């Protein structure tokens, strides 16, 4: 099982979530539906490690990751907003995510140029993300 | 005019009236003494001593206030810990606290044997010394600085930090690479305000450092001492110098901030 969430209870101020359990296998898609404020984002943020659950466990490939800090979990989070850092260029934004995986600036540069070519955006690399439209 | 002032006109007139009075009052500073008097006052050994001491102490104090204020502001904005609300209110206290009373409190504290003796053994003397000026300036400026720093961090959405963490960056690296640059504007602003407050700190400095002529004499003290000797030219000139230094500081910092913004 790629991801297993077991009896997850979360308490954040006024907000309470009781005993959520689900599993996701490799290649699966999981869709969580609920009204605004029902805790969809908080569940994802707890899986990513930003909040400690009050109860329950989170397993990744069978390993208990409930106590690990976010940077040790290997789970990345993409928000609808707040995806790009406004204080970095497009290039720096891509490089930021690669630097913890590739330890060679030259290789990072080649990789970004390759991705940019595929996406046909080499001319945008030095722009600030705040000047881009969706 | 129909004779009756409506609410909107009343508010606008009040705003303009106050601004005009303030500007006229400040311009009196520059035009009341003759240029010769200003010049001799400005080049007098007392003024030069006082200016130097003010700039040096305010710079040291500002650096310390920012180094201490950034972690405090960040912890108040991001973490919950035992006694947080008490810490918050203690930080608010000196804002409503008269500076003179703050100075008195510091004097009693650092003058107390239990505090002064151990410091003395370490070779540190605070009461009636130049070091006392720095301590008084720090306590005067820190609460204000923490407030601005706190709101600068509040203005940075936490989710940027979460994204950075999920990309493999630890807590401290996320702080330096994401949070600090995003809070830069507010941090610059608080640096300027801190420096201006340290330059202008009076009550606490006077009481803790003693305000001794050409010894623990900063610009506000020069203004006060000369005012009480009836030496109006020197008093006004120290006021002018204070304004000029604060103004120069603002311009320099805005230039620095501008350069920084172009680079990134
Ligand atoms: N850090 C937090 N502390 C306390 N309450 C929070 C925190 N973050 C979110 N909440 C509250 O938790 C509830 C669920 O939020 P969220 O997960 O964003 O809902 P959804 O994504 O389903 O719209 C909301 O009422 C929100 O105000
Ligand atoms: Mg949401």
């Amino acid at each position: 099982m790629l991801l297993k969430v077991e009896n997850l209870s979360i308490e954040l101020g006024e907000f309470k979530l009781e005993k959520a359990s689900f599993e996701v296998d490799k290649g699966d898609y999981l869709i969580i539906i609920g009204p605004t404020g029902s805790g969809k984002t908080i569940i994802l943020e707890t899986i990513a490690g930003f909040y400690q659950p009050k109860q329950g466990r989170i397993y990744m490939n069978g390993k208990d990751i409930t106590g690990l800090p976010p940077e040790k979990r290997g789970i990345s989070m993409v928000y609808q907003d707040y995806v790009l850092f406004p204080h970095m260029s497009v290039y720096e934004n891509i490089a930021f995510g690669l630097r913890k995986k590739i330890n060679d600036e030259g290789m990072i540069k080649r990789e970004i140029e390759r991705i940019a070519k595929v996406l046909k955006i080499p001319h945008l690399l030095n722009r600030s993300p705040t000047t881009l439209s969706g | 005019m129909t004779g009756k002032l409506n609410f909107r006109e009343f508010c606008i007139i009040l705003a303009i009236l106050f601004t005009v009075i303030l500007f006229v009052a400040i311009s009196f500073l520059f035009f009341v003494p003759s240029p010769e008097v200003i010049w001799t006052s400005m080049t007098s050994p007392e003024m030069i001593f006082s200016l130097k001491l003010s700039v040096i102490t305010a710079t040291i104090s500002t650096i310390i206030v920012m180094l201490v204020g950034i972690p405090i502001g960040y912890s108040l904005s991001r973490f919950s810990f035992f006694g947080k609300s008490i810490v918050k209110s203690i930080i608010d206290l000196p804002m409503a606290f008269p500076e003179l009373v703050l100075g008195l409190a510091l004097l009693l504290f650092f003058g107390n044997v239990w505090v002064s003796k151990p410091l003395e053994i370490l070779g540190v003397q605070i009461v009636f010394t130049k070091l006392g000026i720095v301590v008084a300036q720090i306590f005067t400026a820190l609460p204000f600085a923490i407030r601005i720093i706190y709101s600068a961090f509040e203005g940075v959405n936490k989710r940027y930090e979460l994204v950075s963490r999920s990309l493999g960056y630890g807590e401290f690296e996320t702080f330096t690479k994401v949070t600090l640059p995003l809070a830069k504007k507010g941090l610059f602003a608080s640096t300027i305000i801190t420096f201006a407050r340290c330059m202008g700190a009076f009550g606490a400095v006077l009481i803790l450092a003693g305000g001794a002529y050409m010894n623990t004499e900063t610009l506000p003290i020069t203004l006060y001492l000369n005012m009480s000797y009836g030496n109006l030219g020197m008093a006004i000139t120290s006021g002018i110098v204070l304004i000029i230094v604060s103004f120069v500081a603002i311009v320099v910092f805005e230039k620095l901030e501008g350069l920084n913004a172009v680079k990134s």
Side-chain angles (χ1 to χ4, degrees):
Chain A
M1 200 58 58
L2 181 69
L3 174 73
K4 188 171 165 197
V5 172
E6 218 177 62
N7 283 324
L8 202 64
S9 295
I10 308 168
E11 257 185 56
L12 276 177
E14 302 278 286
F15 178 79
K16 260 203 188 95
L17 186 105
E18 293 278 342
K19 294 195 174 154
S21 300
F22 54 82
E23 296 178 349
V24 190
D25 220 342
K26 200 160 189 260
D28 278 358
Y29 288 92
L30 175 74
I31 298 171
I32 300 175
I33 301 174
T36 301
S38 59
K40 306 182 291 292
T41 303
I42 284 183
I43 281 203
L44 295 181
E45 287 175 342
T46 307
I47 293 171
F50 307 134
Y51 299 118
Q52 267 305 309
K54 193 167 157 271
Q55 262 176 36
R57 320 262 16 136
I58 303 162
Y59 300 93
M60 189 89 179
N61 294 315
K63 197 180 140 226
D64 187 344
I65 59 164
T66 320
L68 287 183
E71 64 270 21
K72 297 270 162 64
R73 295 192 180 197
I75 299 174
S76 296
M77 180 101 186
V78 181
Y79 289 99
Q80 212 167 329
D81 321 296
Y82 314 108
V83 189
L84 296 166
F85 295 113
H87 63 297
M88 301 177 189
S89 66
V90 173
Y91 179 94
E92 279 303 318
N93 262 290
I94 306 173
F96 192 80
L98 289 175
R99 282 204 184 105
K100 287 284 158 180
K101 297 181 182 70
I102 308 171
N103 218 338
D104 170 359
E105 268 314 302
M107 217 144 103
I108 291 174
K109 187 156 188 285
R110 282 194 296 282
E111 180 64 9
I112 293 177
E113 278 161 1
R114 190 186 65 76
I115 300 167
K117 269 211 196 89
V118 174
L119 297 173
K120 301 199 170 63
I121 56 158
H123 57 292
L124 296 179
L125 283 179
N126 288 318
R127 288 261 291 272
S128 158
T130 52
T131 67
L132 301 176
S133 67
Chain B
M1 286 290 280
T2 49
K4 237 187 169 177
L5 215 59
N6 65 32
F7 180 63
R8 175 206 288 244
E9 281 164 351
F10 173 76
C11 294
I12 294 173
I13 287 172
L14 209 60
I16 292 173
L17 189 69
F18 179 72
T19 312
V20 168
I21 293 175
L22 189 67
F23 269 86
V24 170
I26 293 174
S27 67
F28 262 58
L29 267 183
F30 288 84
F31 295 119
V32 166
S34 71
E36 298 92 79
V37 170
I38 294 184
W39 182 250
T40 42
S41 304
M42 226 176 243
T43 51
S44 70
E46 185 185 356
M47 191 66 69
I48 290 170
F49 175 89
S50 174
L51 172 63
K52 255 195 205 157
L53 185 61
S54 288
V55 172
I56 292 170
T57 52
T59 304
I60 296 171
S61 302
T62 303
I63 292 170
I64 295 173
V65 165
M66 291 309 290
L67 286 179
V68 175
I70 287 176
I72 295 179
Y74 189 67
S75 69
L76 289 180
S77 159
R78 289 295 193 270
F79 309 131
S80 51
F81 52 88
F82 179 76
K84 177 173 173 177
S85 59
I86 298 174
V87 171
K88 258 183 146 167
S89 68
I90 287 175
I91 278 162
D92 281 341
L93 199 62
M95 303 258 277
F97 219 67
E99 247 194 81
L100 281 166
V101 182
L102 174 67
L104 189 58
L106 290 174
L107 179 67
L108 293 177
F109 176 72
F110 287 110
N112 183 294
V113 196
W114 294 100
V115 179
S116 65
K117 269 276 175 275
L119 286 175
E120 217 167 278
I121 291 166
L122 297 171
V124 178
Q125 255 190 315
I126 290 175
V127 175
F128 302 150
T129 65
K130 295 188 176 68
L131 187 58
I133 300 175
V134 172
V135 171
Q137 287 174 343
I138 290 173
F139 277 92
T140 308
L142 189 61
F144 288 81
I146 291 173
R147 285 217 141 191
I148 304 170
I149 293 167
Y150 169 78
S151 40
F153 286 134
E154 285 288 293
V156 175
N157 197 300
K158 219 160 125 186
R159 290 193 167 154
Y160 287 122
E161 293 171 350
L162 307 187
V163 169
S164 164
R165 297 289 296 277
S166 86
L167 289 171
Y169 291 81
E171 214 166 20
F172 183 65
E173 239 181 329
T174 294
F175 179 70
T176 55
K177 290 193 161 125
V178 175
T179 319
L180 274 187
L182 286 174
K184 204 172 56 187
K185 251 190 144 69
L187 297 179
F188 263 111
S190 69
T191 311
I192 298 177
I193 291 170
T194 299
F195 184 76
R197 275 200 72 80
C198 289
M199 285 293 298
F202 174 65
V205 173
L206 178 70
I207 292 191
L208 188 63
Y213 173 75
M214 299 264 287
N215 177 23
T216 53
E217 182 180 353
T218 56
L219 286 170
I221 307 275
T222 306
L223 195 155
Y224 168 76
L225 289 178
N226 282 284
M227 208 59 203
S228 44
Y229 306 153
N231 197 345
L232 202 58
M234 276 294 281
I236 294 175
T237 306
S238 43
I240 294 176
V241 174
L242 259 178
I243 291 179
I244 293 175
V245 172
S246 299
F247 189 74
V248 168
I250 291 175
V251 171
V252 168
F253 270 106
E254 285 192 341
K255 273 259 147 56
L256 278 178
E257 196 194 357
L259 285 179
N260 229 310
V262 172
K263 248 196 337 206
S264 57

